Amino acid sequence: MARRREAIAEAVRQRVISGLSFGSLREGQRLPSARVLAREFGADPRSVAAALRRLETEGLLVRRPPSRAYYVARRPGVGKITGPGEAWLTEVLLGALSRGVPVPQFAEYVHRAVATLRLRALCLECNRDQQQWLCRELHESFGLDAAPLEVAQAEDQAGDLQRADLLVTTAAHADEVRALAGRFEKPWIVASLRQDLADEIRRLLRTGPLYFVGTDRRFADKVRRDFAGVPGAENLRTVVLGEDDPTAIPAGAPAYVMRTAREELGGPPAQVRALATLRAFSTQTAQAILSFVVQENVRAAAARGATGGISGPHTGAAA
């Protein structure tokens, strides 16, 4: 039950954060009721109500008496840290103290651990939509300089591969990228989706048509292959800008609109129920990226402290 509440809270959290970022939600906007959300998630209303209360304590949602409805409270990251944010930060600082890092020095310690180097990542995929998804998430969530690269053209881009600090791909191209990583002696990561996001896609497919809007036919074909064997696969719909008409999507239909398509359209199609696409990396993927970032930055910071500059074989440029 607790795990289910956490999954629902994360799904609603990402919907609010994405909606605010993309303009499909605004501060003060009313959310659907717990009962409506329970039907949408196929969950017990009590689990949904508990998840909403958790987001209220985090300061993301607010209730306005006498109504029991929830409203978007504010943009994440703006204003006072409330609720569990304080508890979480206290735990982090206590952990730092237990490892010999004084609280006044903590911010500098973290900065050196994540921003000593300007690390470069190459995002290898077979379509523009996923290339840009990988690049955006690596840059916005982890601070990496990220550039797209077509997998089929990678063999001809030796200079780009040599300058990269990290190669990132998806499971579909793991074999090709593993070979490239070995040849150029580069670390590499296979990015996977958050489990709650993958579960939500499968749930939505069982309930009716679900749309994916992108800009590259290869992405559309890949999505269809990836979900070909799941229950409700016949409900999957793909829309490729330049080939299909996004205004033909029925009003209120759930749709994952890729960042590439949002940029081309100036936002998601007005009539759809745009679903969250921000921070889609799984916990395992995020952990692998952070481990790489911290390891490389700590190594460079130590070298800089000893010699006055970054030394050793690493190719990353100083930030």
Side-chain angles (χ1 to χ4, degrees):
M1 182 70 74
R3 186 174 180 179
R4 181 60 173 153
R5 285 198 300 269
E6 173 60 31
I8 293 168
E10 180 60 21
V12 176
R13 183 185 293 110
Q14 291 304 318
R15 179 181 298 183
V16 171
I17 292 171
S18 295
L20 288 169
S21 297
F22 292 131
S24 58
L25 279 180
R26 64 185 184 279
E27 296 176 39
Q29 185 167 336
R30 181 173 176 169
L31 288 186
S33 69
R35 195 168 296 278
V36 170
L37 289 172
R39 288 198 298 269
E40 180 179 331
F41 289 114
D44 187 325
R46 292 172 297 180
S47 295
V48 176
L52 293 173
R53 286 195 297 272
R54 173 172 177 171
L55 296 178
E56 182 184 17
T57 64
E58 292 180 14
L60 192 62
L61 302 180
V62 65
R63 270 192 294 188
R64 297 176 181 170
S67 171
R68 300 177 64 185
Y70 284 92
Y71 297 80
V72 178
R74 57 179 174 81
R75 287 187 177 275
V78 176
K80 181 182 177 183
I81 299 174
T82 60
E86 295 175 353
W88 168 81
L89 186 56
T90 299
E91 286 184 16
V92 170
L93 293 173
L94 283 172
L97 279 172
S98 71
R99 289 161 176 79
V101 181
V103 170
Q105 297 176 17
F106 180 70
E108 176 61 22
Y109 183 88
V110 172
H111 180 78
R112 292 175 66 194
V114 299
T116 297
L117 295 174
R118 184 178 296 115
L119 294 166
R120 307 182 187 93
L122 275 183
C123 303
L124 294 99
E125 249 298 335
C126 65
N127 64 86
R128 293 188 302 276
D129 297 310
Q130 285 188 299
Q131 287 167 15
Q132 290 301 324
W133 160 56
L134 292 171
C135 287
R136 290 296 184 85
E137 187 141 351
L138 286 167
H139 179 68
E140 293 175 359
S141 294
F142 302 94
L144 278 70
D145 288 345
L149 182 62
E150 288 275 346
V151 170
Q153 300 172 6
E155 291 286 348
D156 301 324
Q157 304 298 322
D160 290 339
L161 289 163
Q162 288 168 348
R163 287 187 292 273
D165 298 297
L166 177 68
L167 308 183
V168 182
T169 189
T170 63
H173 301 289
D175 290 340
E176 298 106 304
V177 176
R178 180 188 294 110
L180 288 167
R183 177 178 160 193
F184 289 91
E185 299 182 340
K186 299 293 181 180
W188 65 293
I189 290 172
V190 174
S192 59
L193 284 180
R194 296 193 333 256
Q195 187 59 52
D196 64 298
L197 178 55
D199 291 344
E200 177 70 353
I201 292 172
R202 289 180 171 84
R203 186 194 68 77
L204 288 169
L205 285 172
R206 293 194 299 270
T207 63
L210 173 63
Y211 290 80
F212 287 80
V213 184
T215 63
D216 193 321
R217 172 55 60 186
R218 295 170 298 177
F219 168 68
D221 294 342
K222 190 175 180 184
V223 169
R224 289 186 174 279
R225 288 196 302 270
D226 288 347
F227 291 97
V230 306
E234 67 277 5
N235 289 323
L236 191 148
R237 307 283 191 272
T238 58
V239 174
V240 179
L241 300 187
E243 299 180 20
D244 307 310
D245 181 7
T247 64
I249 302 175
Y256 288 99
V257 186
M258 299 299 286
R259 295 283 288 269
T260 43
R262 291 175 187 265
E263 289 179 356
E264 191 166 319
L265 293 171
Q271 81 279 15
V272 307
R273 177 160 62 87
L275 303 173
T277 56
L278 289 179
R279 293 212 300 269
F281 285 173
S282 67
T283 300
Q284 294 82 1
T285 299
Q287 184 175 22
I289 295 167
L290 287 172
S291 294
F292 167 77
V293 169
V294 170
Q295 176 181 309
E296 296 301 304
N297 277 279
V298 167
R299 181 185 303 164
R304 174 178 289 181
T307 66
I310 299 172
S311 63
H314 195 278
T315 61

